[in-house]
């Protein structure tokens, strides 16, 4: 019964996310996807009410930082659309590859930062289950997209 309440509260909080997109249909799909992800992770980690209360604010903050970082990186790398690698000079390609590595390093640094934050509220086993659950959720999502 407690798990159902937790999932309900988490689903409800997922719908409170504010999207920066201007497309209401996109917002609705994103909120629905976020709710599914929250329910999936909660189930896979078997979070207690106390763990959920401590974990989800940290996780949501990380996800927001990841989205912001990805937008900034995408904006920097794809300023004028998708790079035309075949027609770029070596200097342009060196700059582009450096930007790619920098964005990947920033993402890794963010993950390491939040790994430490997660360990403050969850056991190492549940943190590792989190990473597995995130991968599995993406796999299931891609499978559903492929099937449709």
């Amino acid at each position: 019964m407690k798990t159902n309440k937790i999932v309900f509260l988490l689903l409800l909080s997922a719908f409170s996310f504010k999207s920066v997109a201007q497309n209401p249909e996109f917002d609705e799909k994103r909120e629905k996807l976020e709710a599914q992800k929250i329910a999936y992770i909660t189930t896979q980690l078997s979070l207690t009410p106390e763990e959920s209360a401590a974990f989800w604010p940290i996780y949501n903050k990380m996800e927001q930082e990841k989205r912001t970082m990805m937008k900034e990186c995408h904006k920097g790398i794809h300023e004028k659309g998708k790079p035309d690698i075949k027609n770029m000079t070596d200097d342009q390609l060196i700059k582009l590859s450096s930007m790619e590595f920098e964005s990947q390093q920033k993402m890794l640094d963010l993950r390491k930062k939040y790994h430490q934050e997660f360990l403050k509220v969850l056991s190492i086993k549940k943190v590792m289950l989190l990473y597995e659950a995130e991968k599995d959720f993406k796999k299931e999502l891609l499978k559903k997209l492929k099937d449709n």
Side-chain angles (χ1 to χ4, degrees):
M1 185 69 170
K2 283 185 179 181
T3 304
N4 289 341
K5 287 181 182 178
I6 293 169
V7 171
F8 175 75
L9 289 173
L10 293 171
L11 291 173
L12 187 61
S13 69
F15 287 106
S16 68
F17 287 126
K18 293 182 181 176
S19 177
V20 295
Q22 298 296 319
N23 183 340
E25 186 177 324
F26 176 81
D27 290 347
E28 185 179 318
K29 286 180 181 180
R30 182 170 156 231
E31 288 172 354
K32 185 178 178 182
L33 186 62
E34 287 291 330
Q36 290 172 347
K37 184 177 179 182
I38 287 169
Y40 186 85
I41 290 172
T42 299
T43 303
Q44 295 301 309
L45 272 60
S46 300
L47 295 175
T48 67
E50 296 80 17
E51 288 172 330
S52 288
F55 168 74
W56 285 110
I58 297 168
Y59 188 85
N60 291 337
K61 186 176 178 188
M62 179 193 70
E63 287 293 299
Q64 182 59 47
E65 285 185 43
K66 279 172 52 175
R67 276 191 295 276
T68 301
M69 187 180 296
M70 287 170 38
K71 285 179 189 174
E72 289 172 4
C73 291
H74 183 78
K75 184 178 176 182
I77 293 171
H78 301 282
E79 279 180 53
K80 300 171 185 167
K82 184 178 177 182
D84 184 10
I85 293 172
K86 291 179 182 177
N87 294 315
M88 293 174 80
T89 66
D90 286 352
D91 287 341
Q92 290 171 321
L93 290 169
I94 288 169
K95 182 179 178 185
L96 179 64
S97 64
S98 292
M99 290 171 71
E100 284 281 350
F101 284 122
E102 285 174 31
S103 69
Q104 290 174 14
Q105 184 62 53
K106 285 179 184 178
M107 193 61 71
L108 178 60
D109 292 343
L110 183 76
R111 289 190 55 173
K112 289 167 91 174
K113 170 187 163 185
Y114 279 96
H115 177 77
Q116 294 305 314
E117 293 298 314
F118 294 146
L119 288 174
K120 292 177 184 176
V121 298
L122 298 176
S123 68
I124 184 63
K125 184 176 279 191
K126 286 194 177 185
V127 172
M128 294 306 291
L129 285 171
L130 166 65
Y131 301 147
E132 190 174 297
E134 287 178 317
K135 288 178 192 172
D136 291 345
F137 183 79
K138 287 178 187 173
K139 283 180 189 175
E140 284 187 26
L141 185 61
L142 289 172
K143 186 177 185 285
K144 286 179 184 177
L145 287 172
K146 182 181 172 187
D147 291 344
N148 290 340

